Amino acid sequence: MTEISVHEGPASDLAVQMDYARVVQTSDMLPQGYRGKPANILLAVGLGQAMGLSPAESLWRIDVIQGKPTASAELIASNVRKAGHKLRLTINEKDVTATCTIIRSDDPDHEHTVTRDRAWAQQMGLISKDNYKKQPATMLGWRAVTACARMACPEALYGVAYTTDEMADMQPTEKAAEVATGADRIRQATAEVLTDEPAGAES
């Protein structure tokens, strides 16, 4: 008797992902932004797959805001490191400053550095926001990481280069409240510290 093997190619993978999206869209464990939106689920799962994430992890670490995918700063930092680049984050709680440095694997003699401080937050109109009042250094750390990553290695971000918070800042005032809900979910789902080192440590 001859055995016939069935090749499961890209079409089969897509069918499986579509079935997954249809099933989980009604789950009360699903982030609010994905409930009843299987197309957004499918997009996030596909992007997450390219990043090496499981479907469930993709839905917690990637958000879709105004039709654009956004990522947690933690995920952006992780993708930079997965690409082989060095990322260092130094947070100074006393001076309320955060500096991110990225050294590309293909250009180890050059450092890309971005610093975010209270003056920058004031200029951008962020200083009065609730999270900047509660944890200013941490919020500045997120901004330093994402800005430095976009400058140093945009190809490592898979086109998902902005966080939900940053996307909210780009929206007109009437849209900001909608985006804030997604930002709150992202903050709850990710760690406050974006590196695997204590704040202020050098690696």
PDB file of all heavy atoms in Angstrom, residues 153-175:
ATOM      1  N   CYS A 153      18.090  50.869  13.510  1.00  0.00           N
ATOM      2  CA  CYS A 153      17.848  49.595  12.807  1.00  0.00           C
ATOM      3  C   CYS A 153      16.361  49.407  12.489  1.00  0.00           C
ATOM      4  O   CYS A 153      15.731  48.469  12.998  1.00  0.00           O
ATOM      5  CB  CYS A 153      18.367  48.430  13.648  1.00  0.00           C
ATOM      6  SG  CYS A 153      17.857  48.491  15.388  1.00  0.00           S
ATOM      7  N   PRO A 154      15.796  50.240  11.657  1.00  0.00           N
ATOM      8  CA  PRO A 154      14.369  50.119  11.333  1.00  0.00           C
ATOM      9  C   PRO A 154      14.002  48.782  10.700  1.00  0.00           C
ATOM     10  O   PRO A 154      12.870  48.311  10.840  1.00  0.00           O
ATOM     11  CB  PRO A 154      14.131  51.287  10.357  1.00  0.00           C
ATOM     12  CG  PRO A 154      15.480  51.600   9.795  1.00  0.00           C
ATOM     13  CD  PRO A 154      16.436  51.339  10.927  1.00  0.00           C
ATOM     14  N   GLU A 155      14.975  48.162  10.019  1.00  0.00           N
ATOM     15  CA  GLU A 155      14.679  46.875   9.373  1.00  0.00           C
ATOM     16  C   GLU A 155      14.416  45.766  10.377  1.00  0.00           C
ATOM     17  O   GLU A 155      13.824  44.730  10.038  1.00  0.00           O
ATOM     18  CB  GLU A 155      15.841  46.481   8.441  1.00  0.00           C
ATOM     19  CG  GLU A 155      17.084  45.925   9.134  1.00  0.00           C
ATOM     20  CD  GLU A 155      17.914  46.965   9.871  1.00  0.00           C
ATOM     21  OE1 GLU A 155      17.666  48.176   9.694  1.00  0.00           O
ATOM     22  OE2 GLU A 155      18.822  46.560  10.615  1.00  0.00           O
ATOM     23  N   ALA A 156      14.809  45.964  11.629  1.00  0.00           N
ATOM     24  CA  ALA A 156      14.608  44.941  12.662  1.00  0.00           C
ATOM     25  C   ALA A 156      13.229  45.023  13.306  1.00  0.00           C
ATOM     26  O   ALA A 156      12.883  44.178  14.128  1.00  0.00           O
ATOM     27  CB  ALA A 156      15.684  45.073  13.741  1.00  0.00           C
ATOM     28  N   LEU A 157      12.434  46.022  12.911  1.00  0.00           N
ATOM     29  CA  LEU A 157      11.154  46.262  13.583  1.00  0.00           C
ATOM     30  C   LEU A 157       9.957  45.704  12.823  1.00  0.00           C
ATOM     31  O   LEU A 157       8.814  45.835  13.270  1.00  0.00           O
ATOM     32  CB  LEU A 157      10.971  47.771  13.817  1.00  0.00           C
ATOM     33  CG  LEU A 157      12.132  48.467  14.534  1.00  0.00           C
ATOM     34  CD1 LEU A 157      11.779  49.925  14.798  1.00  0.00           C
ATOM     35  CD2 LEU A 157      12.506  47.758  15.821  1.00  0.00           C
ATOM     36  N   TYR A 158      10.195  45.118  11.654  1.00  0.00           N
ATOM     37  CA  TYR A 158       9.142  44.475  10.857  1.00  0.00           C
ATOM     38  C   TYR A 158       8.014  45.444  10.496  1.00  0.00           C
ATOM     39  O   TYR A 158       6.861  45.044  10.348  1.00  0.00           O
ATOM     40  CB  TYR A 158       8.551  43.274  11.613  1.00  0.00           C
ATOM     41  CG  TYR A 158       9.563  42.196  11.901  1.00  0.00           C
ATOM     42  CD1 TYR A 158      10.316  42.219  13.080  1.00  0.00           C
ATOM     43  CD2 TYR A 158       9.784  41.158  11.004  1.00  0.00           C
ATOM     44  CE1 TYR A 158      11.260  41.237  13.351  1.00  0.00           C
ATOM     45  CE2 TYR A 158      10.722  40.168  11.271  1.00  0.00           C
ATOM     46  CZ  TYR A 158      11.459  40.222  12.446  1.00  0.00           C
ATOM     47  OH  TYR A 158      12.389  39.247  12.707  1.00  0.00           O
ATOM     48  N   GLY A 159       8.340  46.721  10.388  1.00  0.00           N
ATOM     49  CA  GLY A 159       7.323  47.701  10.039  1.00  0.00           C
ATOM     50  C   GLY A 159       6.450  48.134  11.195  1.00  0.00           C
ATOM     51  O   GLY A 159       5.578  48.986  11.033  1.00  0.00           O
ATOM     52  N   VAL A 160       6.677  47.548  12.377  1.00  0.00           N
ATOM     53  CA  VAL A 160       5.894  47.914  13.569  1.00  0.00           C
ATOM     54  C   VAL A 160       6.830  48.722  14.461  1.00  0.00           C
ATOM     55  O   VAL A 160       7.461  48.196  15.374  1.00  0.00           O
ATOM     56  CB  VAL A 160       5.374  46.661  14.300  1.00  0.00           C
ATOM     57  CG1 VAL A 160       4.389  47.061  15.398  1.00  0.00           C
ATOM     58  CG2 VAL A 160       4.702  45.707  13.312  1.00  0.00           C
ATOM     59  N   ALA A 161       6.914  50.015  14.194  1.00  0.00           N
ATOM     60  CA  ALA A 161       7.977  50.827  14.782  1.00  0.00           C
ATOM     61  C   ALA A 161       7.509  51.787  15.867  1.00  0.00           C
ATOM     62  O   ALA A 161       8.329  52.417  16.526  1.00  0.00           O
ATOM     63  CB  ALA A 161       8.674  51.624  13.685  1.00  0.00           C
ATOM     64  N   TYR A 162       6.198  51.903  16.057  1.00  0.00           N
ATOM     65  CA  TYR A 162       5.678  52.841  17.046  1.00  0.00           C
ATOM     66  C   TYR A 162       4.885  52.118  18.127  1.00  0.00           C
ATOM     67  O   TYR A 162       4.250  51.092  17.871  1.00  0.00           O
ATOM     68  CB  TYR A 162       4.778  53.891  16.376  1.00  0.00           C
ATOM     69  CG  TYR A 162       5.552  54.892  15.547  1.00  0.00           C
ATOM     70  CD1 TYR A 162       5.831  54.630  14.202  1.00  0.00           C
ATOM     71  CD2 TYR A 162       6.015  56.081  16.103  1.00  0.00           C
ATOM     72  CE1 TYR A 162       6.552  55.531  13.438  1.00  0.00           C
ATOM     73  CE2 TYR A 162       6.740  56.988  15.337  1.00  0.00           C
ATOM     74  CZ  TYR A 162       7.003  56.710  14.008  1.00  0.00           C
ATOM     75  OH  TYR A 162       7.730  57.600  13.261  1.00  0.00           O
ATOM     76  N   THR A 163       4.925  52.665  19.342  1.00  0.00           N
ATOM     77  CA  THR A 163       4.133  52.108  20.431  1.00  0.00           C
ATOM     78  C   THR A 163       2.735  52.721  20.400  1.00  0.00           C
ATOM     79  O   THR A 163       2.488  53.725  19.715  1.00  0.00           O
ATOM     80  CB  THR A 163       4.767  52.411  21.802  1.00  0.00           C
ATOM     81  OG1 THR A 163       4.713  53.830  22.037  1.00  0.00           O
ATOM     82  CG2 THR A 163       6.210  51.926  21.860  1.00  0.00           C
ATOM     83  N   THR A 164       1.830  52.132  21.157  1.00  0.00           N
ATOM     84  CA  THR A 164       0.468  52.652  21.220  1.00  0.00           C
ATOM     85  C   THR A 164       0.455  54.069  21.775  1.00  0.00           C
ATOM     86  O   THR A 164      -0.306  54.922  21.324  1.00  0.00           O
ATOM     87  CB  THR A 164      -0.405  51.732  22.093  1.00  0.00           C
ATOM     88  OG1 THR A 164      -0.273  50.389  21.631  1.00  0.00           O
ATOM     89  CG2 THR A 164      -1.868  52.127  22.005  1.00  0.00           C
ATOM     90  N   ASP A 165       1.300  54.332  22.771  1.00  0.00           N
ATOM     91  CA  ASP A 165       1.390  55.685  23.332  1.00  0.00           C
ATOM     92  C   ASP A 165       1.811  56.694  22.269  1.00  0.00           C
ATOM     93  O   ASP A 165       1.257  57.797  22.186  1.00  0.00           O
ATOM     94  CB  ASP A 165       2.399  55.715  24.480  1.00  0.00           C
ATOM     95  CG  ASP A 165       1.850  55.108  25.752  1.00  0.00           C
ATOM     96  OD1 ASP A 165       0.710  55.427  26.108  1.00  0.00           O
ATOM     97  OD2 ASP A 165       2.563  54.318  26.392  1.00  0.00           O
ATOM     98  N   GLU A 166       2.810  56.337  21.487  1.00  0.00           N
ATOM     99  CA  GLU A 166       3.289  57.249  20.450  1.00  0.00           C
ATOM    100  C   GLU A 166       2.220  57.494  19.405  1.00  0.00           C
ATOM    101  O   GLU A 166       2.046  58.622  18.927  1.00  0.00           O
ATOM    102  CB  GLU A 166       4.541  56.673  19.793  1.00  0.00           C
ATOM    103  CG  GLU A 166       5.768  56.691  20.693  1.00  0.00           C
ATOM    104  CD  GLU A 166       6.954  55.983  20.077  1.00  0.00           C
ATOM    105  OE1 GLU A 166       6.777  54.912  19.476  1.00  0.00           O
ATOM    106  OE2 GLU A 166       8.065  56.516  20.194  1.00  0.00           O
ATOM    107  N   MET A 167       1.484  56.447  19.048  1.00  0.00           N
ATOM    108  CA  MET A 167       0.418  56.603  18.071  1.00  0.00           C
ATOM    109  C   MET A 167      -0.669  57.525  18.606  1.00  0.00           C
ATOM    110  O   MET A 167      -1.246  58.333  17.867  1.00  0.00           O
ATOM    111  CB  MET A 167      -0.174  55.237  17.721  1.00  0.00           C
ATOM    112  CG  MET A 167      -1.100  55.273  16.511  1.00  0.00           C
ATOM    113  SD  MET A 167      -0.261  55.753  14.977  1.00  0.00           S
ATOM    114  CE  MET A 167       0.760  54.306  14.677  1.00  0.00           C
ATOM    115  N   ALA A 168      -0.926  57.440  19.907  1.00  0.00           N
ATOM    116  CA  ALA A 168      -1.933  58.305  20.522  1.00  0.00           C
ATOM    117  C   ALA A 168      -1.522  59.763  20.401  1.00  0.00           C
ATOM    118  O   ALA A 168      -2.357  60.646  20.164  1.00  0.00           O
ATOM    119  CB  ALA A 168      -2.117  57.934  21.988  1.00  0.00           C
ATOM    120  N   ASP A 169      -0.232  60.039  20.550  1.00  0.00           N
ATOM    121  CA  ASP A 169       0.260  61.417  20.472  1.00  0.00           C
ATOM    122  C   ASP A 169       0.125  61.980  19.061  1.00  0.00           C
ATOM    123  O   ASP A 169       0.088  63.198  18.877  1.00  0.00           O
ATOM    124  CB  ASP A 169       1.729  61.493  20.903  1.00  0.00           C
ATOM    125  CG  ASP A 169       1.905  61.145  22.372  1.00  0.00           C
ATOM    126  OD1 ASP A 169       0.927  61.257  23.126  1.00  0.00           O
ATOM    127  OD2 ASP A 169       3.024  60.754  22.749  1.00  0.00           O
ATOM    128  N   MET A 170       0.068  61.091  18.065  1.00  0.00           N
ATOM    129  CA  MET A 170      -0.030  61.549  16.678  1.00  0.00           C
ATOM    130  C   MET A 170      -1.469  61.806  16.255  1.00  0.00           C
ATOM    131  O   MET A 170      -1.722  62.414  15.223  1.00  0.00           O
ATOM    132  CB  MET A 170       0.565  60.499  15.730  1.00  0.00           C
ATOM    133  CG  MET A 170       2.026  60.228  15.946  1.00  0.00           C
ATOM    134  SD  MET A 170       2.577  58.911  14.831  1.00  0.00           S
ATOM    135  CE  MET A 170       4.200  58.567  15.520  1.00  0.00           C
ATOM    136  N   GLN A 171      -2.433  61.334  17.064  1.00  0.00           N
ATOM    137  CA  GLN A 171      -3.828  61.442  16.693  1.00  0.00           C
ATOM    138  C   GLN A 171      -4.390  62.812  17.073  1.00  0.00           C
ATOM    139  O   GLN A 171      -3.947  63.434  18.029  1.00  0.00           O
ATOM    140  CB  GLN A 171      -4.653  60.349  17.391  1.00  0.00           C
ATOM    141  CG  GLN A 171      -4.232  58.938  17.043  1.00  0.00           C
ATOM    142  CD  GLN A 171      -4.380  58.623  15.580  1.00  0.00           C
ATOM    143  OE1 GLN A 171      -5.317  59.076  14.934  1.00  0.00           O
ATOM    144  NE2 GLN A 171      -3.452  57.854  15.041  1.00  0.00           N
ATOM    145  N   PRO A 172      -5.419  63.275  16.340  1.00  0.00           N
ATOM    146  CA  PRO A 172      -6.112  64.489  16.757  1.00  0.00           C
ATOM    147  C   PRO A 172      -6.700  64.280  18.149  1.00  0.00           C
ATOM    148  O   PRO A 172      -6.912  63.147  18.584  1.00  0.00           O
ATOM    149  CB  PRO A 172      -7.233  64.629  15.700  1.00  0.00           C
ATOM    150  CG  PRO A 172      -6.744  63.856  14.520  1.00  0.00           C
ATOM    151  CD  PRO A 172      -5.944  62.720  15.092  1.00  0.00           C
ATOM    152  N   THR A 173      -6.995  65.357  18.848  1.00  0.00           N
ATOM    153  CA  THR A 173      -7.472  65.281  20.222  1.00  0.00           C
ATOM    154  C   THR A 173      -8.680  64.375  20.364  1.00  0.00           C
ATOM    155  O   THR A 173      -8.795  63.602  21.314  1.00  0.00           O
ATOM    156  CB  THR A 173      -7.835  66.689  20.738  1.00  0.00           C
ATOM    157  OG1 THR A 173      -6.697  67.526  20.594  1.00  0.00           O
ATOM    158  CG2 THR A 173      -8.249  66.641  22.192  1.00  0.00           C
ATOM    159  N   GLU A 174      -9.622  64.436  19.409  1.00  0.00           N
ATOM    160  CA  GLU A 174     -10.846  63.643  19.530  1.00  0.00           C
ATOM    161  C   GLU A 174     -10.587  62.150  19.397  1.00  0.00           C
ATOM    162  O   GLU A 174     -11.404  61.327  19.795  1.00  0.00           O
ATOM    163  CB  GLU A 174     -11.883  64.088  18.495  1.00  0.00           C
ATOM    164  CG  GLU A 174     -11.454  63.928  17.047  1.00  0.00           C
ATOM    165  CD  GLU A 174     -10.758  65.167  16.511  1.00  0.00           C
ATOM    166  OE1 GLU A 174     -10.301  65.973  17.341  1.00  0.00           O
ATOM    167  OE2 GLU A 174     -10.683  65.316  15.277  1.00  0.00           O
ATOM    168  N   LYS A 175      -9.424  61.768  18.819  1.00  0.00           N
ATOM    169  CA  LYS A 175      -9.097  60.357  18.664  1.00  0.00           C
ATOM    170  C   LYS A 175      -8.281  59.825  19.842  1.00  0.00           C
ATOM    171  O   LYS A 175      -8.170  58.620  20.035  1.00  0.00           O
ATOM    172  CB  LYS A 175      -8.285  60.146  17.382  1.00  0.00           C
ATOM    173  CG  LYS A 175      -9.014  60.479  16.101  1.00  0.00           C
ATOM    174  CD  LYS A 175     -10.042  59.430  15.765  1.00  0.00           C
ATOM    175  CE  LYS A 175     -10.677  59.707  14.402  1.00  0.00           C
ATOM    176  NZ  LYS A 175     -11.714  58.704  14.061  1.00  0.00           N
TER     177      LYS A 175
END
